[in-house]
């Protein structure tokens, strides 16, 4: 059977939810004994058997990545992944923050390819809004109650299906004042569990999205809870994109791509500290991340002050810059525009040893490995 297989029949792609059971995930393990990451394995069972004394549970020793909308079917049906190398570097960085052995880039890329490959029938057709979400995660699993590095680290790459995200409607943001996401010189630049669970309860009080100031001085803009901050200044025909420069924010692949696109349009790009007061001077603000792509912000409120900044007159439509950048990004991702930046992987193929028996309509009968 040729690779990749066609999208699976009978799926309503625009109404996809994470509830769809995909074929399985990929696992590789680092052990102290070998000091290397094992050959990737295909595991059908989404559940993991982990010792209850593993440091992931007690000390939050885990790091993850998120590649949403980043595995695409191009016009001809072939599958590409968007900028997986960026995610490989970021996972290495996140792992280093929580004492997890680094996953070499080539190994990361291979595992991500395999995870998408064995689930290729769930990569939605080009002309639908459904999407695939790739979720790599690595954690300390050896039983070890000492605050010491453990013996074993599983690295898993999960695939989740997701429906269209109708997220282009501009959002109202709230600046969080009684909760700081991360400390200076802390772990804020890493996708590590501890940075996220506290945010779940941070009160958004009816707002759509929360914005964090720097926790040391509360005078500079850092980022939204799960997406990057991008401000746009318009001065006549001159457009400038401004992004925060801070040690504590996540380096965002979407924000990075947006900066490249802006430069290609001959817009100026400034990466520098952004004072809170500067919120007055932006004509558009966007939240960027692979989960949302690029969502316009229509207001920012800081409750301890009378401040409420309004953008694009509080319109329900995205501003012109957000619309332009989102369209350009989509066109490259969908293969409608030339990828002049080299962001898309080569046309994907599964390594021969993974054999076509993993592809197409998979039944437990023709699976080789399962757990
Ligand atoms: C993942 C994440 C982002 C967005 O990064 P992308 O690589 O664009 O998806 C921004 N901020 C935080 C805190 C994040 O966790």
């Amino acid at each position: 059977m040729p690779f990749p297989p066609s999208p699976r029949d009978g799926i309503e792609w625009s109404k996809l939810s994470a509830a769809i059971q995909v074929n399985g995930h990929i696992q590789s393990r680092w052990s102290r004994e070998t000091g290397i990451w094992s050959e990737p394995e295909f595991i059908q069972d989404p559940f993991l058997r982990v010792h209850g004394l593993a440091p992931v549970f007690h000390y939050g020793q885990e790091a993850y990545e998120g590649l949403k909308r980043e595995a695409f079917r191009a016009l001809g049906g072939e599958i590409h992944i968007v900028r997986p190398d960026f995610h490989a570097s970021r996972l290495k960085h996140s792992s280093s923050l929580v004492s997890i052995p680094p996953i070499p880039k080539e190994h990361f890329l291979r595992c991500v390819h395999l995870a998408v490959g064995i689930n290729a029938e769930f990569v939605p057709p080009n002309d639908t809004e459904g999407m695939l979400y790739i979720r790599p995660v690595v954690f300390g699993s050896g039983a070890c109650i000492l605050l010491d590095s453990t013996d074993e680290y599983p690295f898993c790459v999960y695939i989740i299906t997701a429906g269209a995200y109708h997220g282009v409607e501009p959002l109202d943001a709230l600046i969080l004042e009684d909760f700081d996401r991360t400390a200076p010189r802390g772990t804020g630049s890493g996708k590590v569990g501890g940075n996220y669970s506290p945010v779940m309860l941070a009160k958004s009080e009816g707002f759509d999205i929360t914005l964090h100031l720097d926790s040391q001085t509360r005078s500079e803009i850092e980022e939204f809870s799960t997406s990057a901050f991008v401000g746009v200044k318009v001065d006549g025909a001159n457009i400038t994109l401004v992004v925060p420069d801070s040690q504590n924010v996540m380096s965002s692949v979407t924000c990075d791509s947006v900066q490249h696109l802006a430069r290609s349009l001959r817009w100026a790009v400034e990466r520098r500290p952004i004072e809170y007061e500067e919120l007055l001077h932006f004509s558009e603000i966007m939240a960027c991340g692979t989960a949302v792509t690029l969502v316009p912000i229509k207001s920012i409120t800081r409750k301890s002050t009378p401040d409420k900044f309004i953008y694009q007159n509080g319109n329900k439509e995205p501003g012109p810059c957000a619309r332009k950048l989102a369209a350009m990004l989509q066109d490259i991702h969908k293969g409608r525009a030339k990828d002049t930046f080299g962001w898309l992987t080569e046309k994907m193929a599964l390594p021969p040893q993974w054999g076509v028996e993993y592809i197409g309509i998979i039944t437990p009968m023709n699976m080789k490995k399962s757990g």
Side-chain angles (χ1 to χ4, degrees), residues 64-66 70 86-87 90 181 188 190-191 196 223-228 249-255 288-291:
Y64 72 95
E65 265 306 312
E70 289 194 321
F86 187 103
H87 296 276
R90 191 169 61 187
R181 180 176 164 268
K191 273 186 152 33
Y196 298 87
E223 64 176 322
F224 298 101
S225 293
T226 55
S227 40
V249 306
M250 190 71 49
S251 70
S252 150
V253 67
T254 317
C255 181
C288 294
T290 72

Side-chain angles (χ1 to χ4, degrees), residues 351-368:
Q353 71 269 29
W354 281 75
V356 289
E357 68 265 43
Y358 287 108
I359 306 163
I361 314 298
I362 299 192
T363 63
M365 296 299 289
N366 59 17
M367 286 210 190
K368 271 197 182 141

Side-chain angles (χ1 to χ4, degrees), residues 16-17 77 83 88 91 160 179 191 220 243 248 269 305 352:
L16 275 180
S17 76
R83 302 191 70 180
L91 185 60
I160 307 155
F179 171 74
K191 273 186 152 33
E220 289 175 15
V243 299
N248 301 315
V269 174
T305 69

